[in-house]
């Protein structure tokens, strides 16, 4: 995984985000080979070869590799113990081995889906998506013949289809009823796949209402601006050009050395909690107001560290891309602003959201958007009494949450200190470089400006770079730390 990430970083820095392909992947059947598949538990060597080839392909998708090629069609020399000699996917009579059958079955089921995020480490649970619909992959990530039980959250659906690879041309499929949005699964070393289906009204969110939206949003661009940081954008100057977007996403590969701002209003179609995402190359920030007044905007998500970037609609690369849940009122108009800084290479910025009924729109379509109008009349939008809003009091204006860790770098323990500008709930979590949560250090309520300290223990974690995330009711703050062992 680290090697794959290094190639992706090189492609971004030197090759204008050229896709990365893995040209040879395989496991030998000959037991003398250093690259052999092995018999695991009750599985044969050929079954393990099938498991491992499928798991390898899924693993590289998780790391962002665009394509994986499998070596090879036929055994070169199945009696030889030299690596690559017995990796064939086809028998001598051209019939497919189990590995080829597994790959073909999964290609038929998920070939157009794209990896989105990893939800759990053991068993390993990945989420894929296509046109707003999710699919899940679950597998036990070792080679001991172990099984595991896992409760999968599939949302407001009546049932789900569970697919398991098997010998032949098609997977086995079982339709299972969903209870309270949950599905109990038995997971093995052979990946299984879950596709939720069948909407139900018993768990679904509020009925959407029509919003007043014109279908476009204003985009402004400043040319000949060097650097990668959003702070480099000369927002006080007159922009070099302006345009209207029909969705909350810029065009791809516009140019180099520019800064951009997208701003206007987003209309909430439902009442409830929304989660926002932003993706961009290079750096970008997403701001949202408590109403249609830009003065009340708060930064809720970002891609902001040096050498940080994402592909278009790559929502889950960094924890900072995702906002905390934000409660909005159906029919309410909220000021929204996206800042985007492009240095060199590929360039794009996208914003998506998950609505209270669980539907993901990414990017947010023009049917929710209106362009910014300077000096337009503004009216506050009230929220429900049980809502968590973005508002701050006048006394809290100008204050922000603070987060620090020391020592940094550290080899055993680091002490994390944090405080919030306003009283409310706070969570402190730790993520690895793949965006997987590895620790939750704190979750609870704090008073305004109350300093809290928690211990980040390095036990059982490998050396590397980790991101500590402080999420409050109004903002998200990050701190990178380096673990050395």
């Amino acid at each position: 995984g680290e090697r794959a990430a290094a190639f992706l970083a090189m492609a971004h820095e030197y090759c204008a985000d050229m896709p990365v392909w893995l040209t040879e992947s395989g496991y030998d059947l000959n037991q003398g080979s250093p690259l052999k598949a092995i018999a695991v538990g009750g599985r044969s060597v050929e079954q393990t070869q099938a498991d491992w080839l499928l798991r390898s392909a899924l693993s590289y998708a998780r790391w962002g590799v665009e394509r994986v090629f499998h070596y090879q069609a036929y055994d070169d020399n199945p009696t030889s113990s030299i690596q690559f000699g017995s990796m064939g996917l086809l028998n001598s009579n051209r019939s497919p081995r189990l590995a080829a059958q597994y790959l073909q079955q999964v290609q038929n089921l998920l070939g157009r889906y794209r990896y989105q995020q990893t939800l759990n480490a053991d068993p390993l649970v990945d989420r894929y998506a296509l046109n707003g619909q999710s699919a899940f992959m679950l597998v036990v990530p070792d080679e001991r013949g172990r099984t595991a039980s896992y409760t999968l959250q599939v949302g407001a659906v009546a049932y789900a289809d569970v697919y398991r690879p098997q010998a032949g041309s098609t997977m086995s499929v079982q339709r299972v009823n969903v209870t309270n949005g949950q599905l109990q699964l038995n997971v093995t070393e052979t990946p299984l796949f879950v596709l939720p289906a069948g909407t139900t009204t018993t768990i679904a969110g509020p009925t959407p209402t029509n919003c007043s939206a014109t279908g476009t949003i204003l985009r402004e661009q400043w040319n000949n601006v060097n650097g990668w940081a959003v702070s480099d954008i000369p927002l006080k100057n007159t922009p070099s050009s302006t345009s209207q977007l029909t969705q909350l996403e810029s065009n791809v590969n516009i140019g180099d050395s520019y800064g951009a701002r997208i701003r206007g209003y987003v209309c909430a179609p439902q009442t409830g909690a929304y989660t926002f995402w932003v993706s961009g190359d290079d750096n970008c920030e997403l701001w949202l107001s408590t109403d249609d007044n830009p003065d009340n905007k708060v930064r809720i998500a970002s891609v902001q560290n040096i050498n940080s970037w994402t592909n278009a609609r790559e929502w889950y690369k960094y924890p900072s891309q995702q906002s905390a849940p934000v409660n909005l009122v159906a029919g309410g108009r909220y000021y929204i602003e996206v800042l985007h800084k492009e240095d060199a290479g590929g360039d794009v910025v996208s914003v998506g959201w998950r609505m209270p009924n669980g539907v993901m729109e990414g990017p947010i379509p023009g049917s929710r958007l209106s362009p910014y109008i300077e000096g337009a009349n503004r009216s506050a939008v009230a929220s429900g009494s049980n809502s968590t809003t973005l508002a701050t009091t006048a006394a809290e204006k100008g204050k922000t949450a603070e987060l620090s860790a020391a020592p940094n770098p550290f080899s055993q323990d680091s002490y994390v200190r944090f405080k919030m500008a306003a009283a409310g709930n706070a969570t402190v979590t730790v993520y690895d470089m793949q965006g997987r949560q590895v620790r939750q250090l704190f979750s609870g309520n704090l008073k305004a400006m109350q300093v809290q300290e928690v211990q980040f223990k390095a036990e059982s974690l490998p050396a590397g770079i980790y991101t500590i995330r402080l999420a409050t009711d109004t903002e998200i703050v990050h701190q990178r730390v380096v673990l050395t062992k």
Side-chain angles (χ1 to χ4, degrees):
E2 293 175 356
R3 299 278 181 93
F7 274 105
L8 289 168
M10 183 183 71
H12 174 68
E13 185 173 358
Y14 298 109
C15 308
D17 297 317
M18 181 180 291
V20 176
W21 294 0
L22 181 75
T23 58
E24 293 185 7
S25 178
Y27 299 97
D28 284 305
L29 296 181
N30 189 298
Q31 293 301 284
S33 168
L35 298 180
K36 65 178 180 293
I38 60 175
V40 175
R43 286 174 167 80
S44 67
V45 171
E46 189 169 334
Q47 286 176 311
T48 299
Q49 181 196 46
D51 286 345
W52 288 4
L53 269 178
L54 178 55
R55 285 162 56 175
S56 294
L58 295 168
S59 175
Y60 282 110
R62 186 180 310 119
W63 282 88
V65 173
E66 288 286 333
R67 296 188 183 184
V68 176
F69 295 81
H70 299 281
Y71 189 84
Q72 55 189 340
Y74 299 99
D75 290 339
D76 177 63
N77 186 353
T79 63
S80 172
S81 62
I82 296 176
Q83 62 262 36
F84 316 122
S86 55
M87 288 187 175
L89 296 179
L90 304 177
N91 295 306
S92 58
N93 63 357
R94 298 193 178 185
S95 63
R97 286 179 175 162
L98 192 62
Q101 295 169 4
Y102 278 17
L103 292 169
Q104 185 64 50
Q105 290 170 16
V106 176
Q107 173 70 18
N108 291 339
L109 182 68
L110 293 182
R112 296 177 59 214
Y113 282 74
R114 293 188 68 86
Y115 168 82
Q116 299 295 315
Q117 66 184 134
T118 295
L119 303 175
N120 195 69
D122 189 3
L124 186 62
V125 183
D126 288 345
R127 186 178 73 85
Y128 291 76
L130 174 65
N131 298 329
Q133 300 300 311
S134 292
F136 302 90
M137 186 285 302
L138 298 89
V139 67
V140 172
D142 56 30
E143 51 187 58
R144 293 180 286 160
R146 183 169 58 90
T147 62
S149 179
Y150 185 77
T151 302
L152 180 66
Q153 305 288 336
V154 293
V157 297
Y159 57 86
D161 292 326
V162 180
Y163 294 84
R164 297 179 187 268
Q166 62 178 358
S169 60
T170 60
M171 295 193 203
S172 70
V173 58
Q174 179 185 11
R175 178 153 291 181
V176 181
N177 291 329
V178 174
T179 304
N180 296 326
Q182 297 181 340
L183 192 64
Q184 195 69 31
L185 297 164
N186 183 49
V187 188
T188 71
E189 291 188 23
T190 300
L192 68 85
F193 304 87
V194 178
L195 272 65
T199 58
T200 175
T201 58
T202 58
I203 312 175
T207 302
T209 60
N210 292 327
C211 282
S212 58
T214 64
T216 64
I217 193 167
L218 174 67
R219 181 181 181 274
E220 304 162 295
Q221 179 169 317
W222 289 263
N223 296 331
N224 301 315
V225 181
N226 296 323
W228 53 267
V230 166
S231 58
D232 294 327
I233 305 174
L235 296 173
K236 295 183 178 181
N237 298 345
T238 301
S240 305
S241 62
T242 62
S243 61
Q244 296 289 333
L245 303 177
T246 57
Q247 58 184 358
L248 203 41
E249 179 178 66
S250 68
N251 292 328
V252 179
N253 291 333
I254 297 173
D256 294 331
S257 301
Y258 71 81
R261 175 172 60 187
I262 303 170
R263 56 176 174 163
Y265 310 98
V266 62
C267 189
Q270 306 165 19
T271 295
Y274 290 72
T275 301
F276 289 77
W277 284 267
V278 65
S279 65
D281 184 352
D282 292 300
N283 280 192
C284 55
E285 294 179 351
L286 174 62
W287 295 73
L288 185 69
S289 175
T290 57
D291 49 34
D292 56 0
N293 188 343
D295 294 339
N296 295 326
K297 68 182 180 182
V298 175
R299 190 180 68 192
I300 61 172
S302 64
V303 177
Q304 61 178 344
N305 293 322
I306 188 170
N307 295 327
S308 294
W309 58 276
T310 78
N311 294 313
R313 308 181 190 180
E314 185 180 7
W315 309 117
Y316 301 99
K317 186 174 183 180
Y318 306 109
S320 61
Q321 292 176 250
Q322 179 177 332
S323 78
V326 179
N327 283 284
L328 306 179
V329 177
R333 189 175 76 155
Y334 300 86
Y335 176 81
I336 192 168
E337 180 177 303
V338 186
L339 299 178
H340 173 216
K341 182 64 188 72
E342 160 63 7
D343 185 18
D347 52 292
V348 66
V349 66
S350 312
V351 175
W353 67 4
R354 184 173 60 229
M355 297 185 291
N357 65 355
V359 174
M360 174 79 175
E361 292 183 333
I364 298 174
S367 59
R368 317 290 191 201
L369 305 173
S370 298
Y372 176 72
I373 301 174
E374 190 72 42
N377 292 330
R378 299 169 185 142
S379 59
V381 179
S383 62
S385 59
N386 61 345
S387 297
T388 299
T389 71
L390 298 172
T392 58
T393 65
E396 294 160 352
K397 291 278 188 178
K399 295 182 179 179
T400 60
E402 296 181 9
L403 174 67
S404 63
N408 183 22
F410 70 106
S411 59
Q412 294 182 337
D413 300 326
S414 183
Y415 292 87
V416 180
R417 293 170 60 90
F418 57 97
K419 62 181 179 180
M420 301 159 45
N425 184 67
T427 58
V428 178
T429 47
V430 181
Y431 296 84
D432 63 15
M433 287 297 289
Q434 291 74 57
R436 297 173 296 203
Q437 181 177 322
V438 297
R439 291 279 195 279
Q440 183 174 83
L441 304 181
F442 179 85
S443 179
N445 290 306
L446 292 177
K447 297 178 181 179
M449 306 310 291
Q450 175 187 348
V451 177
Q452 183 77 23
E453 183 176 274
V454 292
Q455 188 176 14
F456 176 19
K457 291 182 174 293
E459 57 189 14
S460 76
L461 290 178
I465 301 175
Y466 294 86
T467 298
I468 302 173
R469 169 178 167 170
L470 166 63
T472 74
D473 294 335
T474 61
E475 61 184 315
I476 296 176
V477 182
H478 296 86
Q479 172 67 50
R480 286 281 182 92
V481 294
V482 178
L483 172 60
T484 60
K485 288 189 174 181

